[in-house]
Amino acid sequence: MSETRLLTTVVGSYPQPDWLVDREALLRNRVPRIRVSDIWRIPEAHLEAAQDDATRVAIRDLERAGVDIITDGEIRRESYSNRFATALEGIDLERPGQVVSSNGIATPVPRVVGPIRRVQPVQVRDVEFLRAHTDRRIKVTVPGPFTLAQQAQNEYYPDREHLAMDYATCVNQEVKAMFAAGADIVQLDEPWLRQNPDEARHYAVRAIDKALEGAPGPTALHLCFGYAAVVRDKPAGYAFLTELEHSVVDQISIEAAQPQLDLAMLQAFATKTMILGVLDLGDQRVETPEVVAARIRAALSHVPPERLIVAPDCGMKYLPRDMAYKKLRAMTLGAAIVSASLSD
């Protein structure tokens, strides 16, 4: 009799320590699209060394929690997207643009004034550092081309579709370099797919496929409704999701616990491995392993265990560190409970 073991992972980010970042400044800037260096407590001359030390701590926490596929916690990033987005050629860093949200909030964003080009590696050292400090499988993340194009003020390209396709070329170059540096899995973060679903249906899958073309290893794509610290009321379904069954991506990561997602939609994915969010990051209580196990079992009614990976809903960046660790530990214990019951 053989046992099926459910794998666990994280979406990407893990809380940065208070000695490294000013968390009030971090929250004040919400999810920055441009550089916001004022969040760092460490002077520039010592910042990289301090980020390395904090990354070591994050790696150890993920290992101690029992997570199978880990990241570096994105400790060096001010947000999930701005580090990569502001490292590309074609951006006016001195005079940012702005994007106005549906609720009227104006957010500073990269202003595109020329051809978007990747002129140097952006996150390759991050991958090399992570690979050197763990024996576990590692996943690294990079913002996807659709989201990058949505988070920019376009003053050069004829439309956002053309902008997204050049972003896809840059992402593709970075993806291949990250695999070469030792990544086991590379994940695109594409939360804006659900915020502009009509435009996404027009060209998002083509842009994603271009970003992942020729990837020499497994790829993932994460969608969510926003960090729980920023977005409270979340819909119970995705406006753009099942379309990704026709993309080249191997794994699809979705937020499911906080929005109480109808898991029947998992049946729409016949070929993808689903990374299921089972930790509600908007709930200050730590789930019990039994609660996590129940959420996993609900998903197994719609997807076989060999195509299911367990994760938090979203990045854990804005949680207190002790809470993030305890939630991850509950997640791995809950996955172990279900795994023990899965046998031929």
Side-chain angles (χ1 to χ4, degrees):
M1 184 177 292
S2 62
E3 182 179 289
T4 300
R5 181 172 175 272
L6 291 167
L7 294 176
T8 59
T9 189
V10 289
V11 170
S13 64
Y14 190 71
Q16 295 149 308
D18 291 342
W19 56 260
L20 181 65
V21 299
D22 180 340
R23 296 190 69 81
E24 289 186 3
L26 186 66
L27 286 168
R28 187 169 58 249
N29 284 283
R30 294 173 69 86
V31 186
R33 316 303 189 198
I34 61 172
R35 298 307 301 269
V36 285
S37 58
D38 61 318
I39 74 164
W40 302 105
R41 295 187 185 276
I42 308 298
E44 181 66 29
H46 305 290
L47 183 57
E48 184 174 80
Q51 291 170 337
D52 284 352
D53 288 343
T55 299
R56 291 184 183 93
V57 174
I59 293 169
R60 293 288 91 78
D61 271 7
L62 296 178
E63 290 179 334
R64 288 192 306 115
V67 178
D68 297 302
I69 305 165
I70 70 171
T71 70
D72 67 351
E74 300 179 4
I75 298 299
R76 300 176 181 85
R77 305 189 200 182
E78 295 154 6
S79 79
Y80 74 95
S81 64
N82 75 333
R83 186 157 179 256
F84 186 79
T86 57
L88 303 176
E89 189 178 76
I91 303 296
D92 185 344
L93 297 177
E94 301 300 322
R95 292 175 293 277
Q98 69 175 23
V99 169
V100 179
S101 67
S102 57
N103 56 10
I105 297 175
T107 301
V109 297
R111 189 164 67 91
V112 178
V113 296
I116 294 293
R117 299 288 183 267
R118 175 185 176 271
V119 293
Q120 62 187 3
V122 182
Q123 298 168 195
V124 169
R125 180 184 179 273
D126 303 357
V127 182
E128 293 170 343
F129 187 92
L130 175 58
R131 181 71 285 162
H133 286 83
T134 185
D135 293 329
R136 300 202 183 179
R137 277 173 281 188
I138 63 173
K139 179 172 70 174
V140 292
T141 69
V142 64
F146 185 83
T147 291
L148 284 166
Q150 297 287 315
Q151 292 181 359
Q153 180 172 308
N154 175 26
E155 296 184 4
Y156 177 78
Y157 290 87
D159 53 42
R160 268 203 300 244
E161 179 178 353
H162 284 83
L163 173 60
M165 292 305 169
D166 267 8
Y167 271 128
T169 296
C170 298
V171 172
N172 183 257
Q173 292 165 350
E174 188 76 5
V175 165
K176 290 176 179 177
M178 291 191 293
F179 274 117
D184 295 304
I185 302 168
V186 174
Q187 172 181 297
L188 302 185
D189 289 332
E190 284 282 19
W192 280 66
L193 290 172
R194 64 97 190 170
Q195 289 184 306
N196 197 342
D198 291 337
E199 192 170 329
R201 291 186 189 97
H202 179 54
Y203 64 84
V205 169
R206 285 189 289 111
I208 289 164
D209 286 355
K210 184 175 181 180
L212 298 177
E213 184 179 4
T219 59
L221 186 146
H222 174 67
L223 304 89
C224 67
F225 301 109
Y227 290 106
V230 178
V231 181
R232 299 294 183 185
D233 298 321
K234 300 187 176 183
Y238 284 90
F240 182 97
L241 180 60
T242 56
E243 293 86 348
L244 293 169
E245 170 66 14
H246 306 292
S247 71
V248 300
V249 70
D250 301 303
Q251 304 173 3
I252 299 173
S253 169
I254 56 172
E255 179 178 3
Q258 184 181 7
Q260 300 182 21
L261 194 70
D262 180 358
L263 298 180
M265 46 71 53
L266 294 172
Q267 298 177 26
F269 296 94
T271 66
K272 308 300 183 187
T273 293
M274 303 304 295
I275 304 175
L276 181 75
V278 298
L279 295 178
D280 180 347
L281 305 187
D283 190 344
Q284 297 298 300
R285 298 167 298 181
V286 175
E287 288 91 343
T288 65
E290 289 74 21
V291 165
V292 172
R295 291 171 179 170
I296 296 171
R297 290 192 181 104
L300 290 175
S301 299
H302 307 287
V303 63
E306 61 270 18
R307 288 199 292 111
L308 186 68
I309 298 175
V310 179
D313 265 4
C314 193
M316 309 185 86
K317 185 184 188 77
Y318 295 97
L319 289 183
R321 291 176 68 206
D322 62 336
M323 181 184 297
Y325 175 80
K326 290 175 182 177
K327 279 180 173 280
L328 285 179
R329 186 61 184 146
M331 180 185 79
T332 62
L333 291 173
I337 289 172
V338 178
S339 292
S341 67
L342 296 174
S343 58
D344 295 335

